[in-house]
Amino acid sequence: MDFSSKLLENAVNEVSRLPGIGKRTALRLVLHLLKQPTENTKYLTDALTHLRGDVKSCKKCHNISDTVLCDICSNPKRNAEIVCVVEDIRDVMAIENTAQYRGLYHVLGGKISPIEGIGPQNLQIESLVEKVKEGEVKELIFALSSTMEGDTTNFYIYKQIEKYGITTSTIARGISVGDELEYADEVTLGRSIVNRIPFEQSIKG
C-alpha cells in the first residue's frame, strides 16, 4: 500500500495493530478521522490517554474499574456469597446484560493454555483460592468457555478449592433461541446462569 504522506502511513500502521483491523480498514478509519472536526479527534485521543493512565483493576474481583472497588463489588445489594468465575471483562458485561445474576465476579484474566505459555501462575487464581479460604464465598460458578483450555482451568480451580467444601457449579450449555442473535444470546446466557448444574456432574458427563 503506497502512501502520499508519512504521517498518514504511521497512523494507519498503528491503527492496524488493533485486533481484527487490517490495513484497508485502518486506512478507512484514519481518513474518516481526518474528515472530522479537530475537537472530535481530541476527544478520542483524550479518552484513550485517560483510559491508559487512569483505569484501575478492582482489588477484589480484578474487573476493570475507575475506582479501587468496581461498581459491582461495592454494591451492597449484590450477593457476596456467590462468585462467578470468568475469563475477562467481556464475559462480565455479557452476563450483566442478562440481568439474571446478582452475585459477584472473579476475573481470571485468561485461561490455562500450555501451548501459549499461560499457566495458573499467570492468572488470578491464587486470589480466588484465598477468597474461598477466608470463608466469604459459598458458591463458585464456573463460566468459562466450553473449550479444552476452559475446561482445564475449571478443573484446576476445582481441585484447588475442593477441600473447602463450598458449592461449585457450571453454567448450563444450550442452543441460542430466537431470531435476533444478540437477544437470543442474552436469553440463552441468562438461562445458563439460572439453570446452572453442579460442577461434579459436568465432570462425570
Side-chain angles (χ1 to χ4, degrees), residues 85-126:
V85 182
V86 297
E87 180 180 350
D88 61 32
I89 184 175
R90 292 172 296 181
D91 302 320
V92 173
M93 295 171 68
I95 294 172
E96 284 298 286
N97 284 338
T98 70
Q100 296 293 314
Y101 178 68
R102 298 303 299 166
L104 301 182
Y105 295 91
H106 187 90
V107 181
L108 295 175
K111 295 173 291 192
I112 295 173
S113 177
I115 294 178
E116 297 179 9
I118 302 174
Q121 71 280 4
N122 303 118
L123 305 175
Q124 296 292 349
I125 293 178
E126 186 176 344

Side-chain angles (χ1 to χ4, degrees), residues 3-166:
F3 293 90
S4 58
S5 164
K6 192 66 178 177
L7 295 175
L8 175 63
E9 181 179 3
N10 290 341
V12 169
N13 287 339
E14 292 305 315
V15 173
S16 66
R17 294 175 186 269
L18 297 172
I21 304 294
K23 284 289 181 68
R24 291 186 182 278
T25 300
L27 176 60
R28 187 166 66 251
L29 292 172
V30 171
L31 292 178
H32 171 76
L33 288 173
L34 282 176
K35 293 177 182 177
Q36 302 305 304
T38 303
E39 60 267 24
N40 286 12
T41 305
K42 187 177 185 303
Y43 295 148
L44 174 61
T45 56
D46 285 350
L48 293 175
T49 299
H50 286 304
L51 173 69
R52 289 297 299 169
D54 301 333
V55 75
K56 297 175 177 60
S57 174
C58 174
K59 71 174 185 178
K60 190 169 184 179
C61 73
H62 310 292
N63 191 9
I64 289 177
S65 175
D66 294 341
T67 53
V68 176
L69 273 184
C70 71
D71 291 343
I72 296 174
C73 286
S74 60
N75 186 347
K77 295 182 179 179
R78 306 292 294 221
N79 185 350
E81 294 186 342
I82 303 176
V83 173
C84 185
V85 182
V86 297
E87 180 180 350
D88 61 32
I89 184 175
R90 292 172 296 181
D91 302 320
V92 173
M93 295 171 68
I95 294 172
E96 284 298 286
N97 284 338
T98 70
Q100 296 293 314
Y101 178 68
R102 298 303 299 166
L104 301 182
Y105 295 91
H106 187 90
V107 181
L108 295 175
K111 295 173 291 192
I112 295 173
S113 177
I115 294 178
E116 297 179 9
I118 302 174
Q121 71 280 4
N122 303 118
L123 305 175
Q124 296 292 349
I125 293 178
E126 186 176 344
S127 59
L128 175 60
V129 175
E130 284 300 315
K131 286 181 187 177
V132 175
K133 279 184 182 179
E134 291 168 5
E136 59 183 281
V137 181
K138 304 302 181 186
E139 179 184 0
L140 278 189
I141 303 173
F142 295 115
L144 302 185
S145 58
S146 180
T147 62
M148 184 172 65
E149 292 81 7
D151 291 341
T152 298
T153 307
N154 285 341
F155 187 71
Y156 178 86
I157 296 172
Y158 171 74
K159 297 306 289 184
Q160 297 300 304
I161 54 92
E162 184 179 15
K163 61 185 177 183
Y164 299 108
I166 71 167

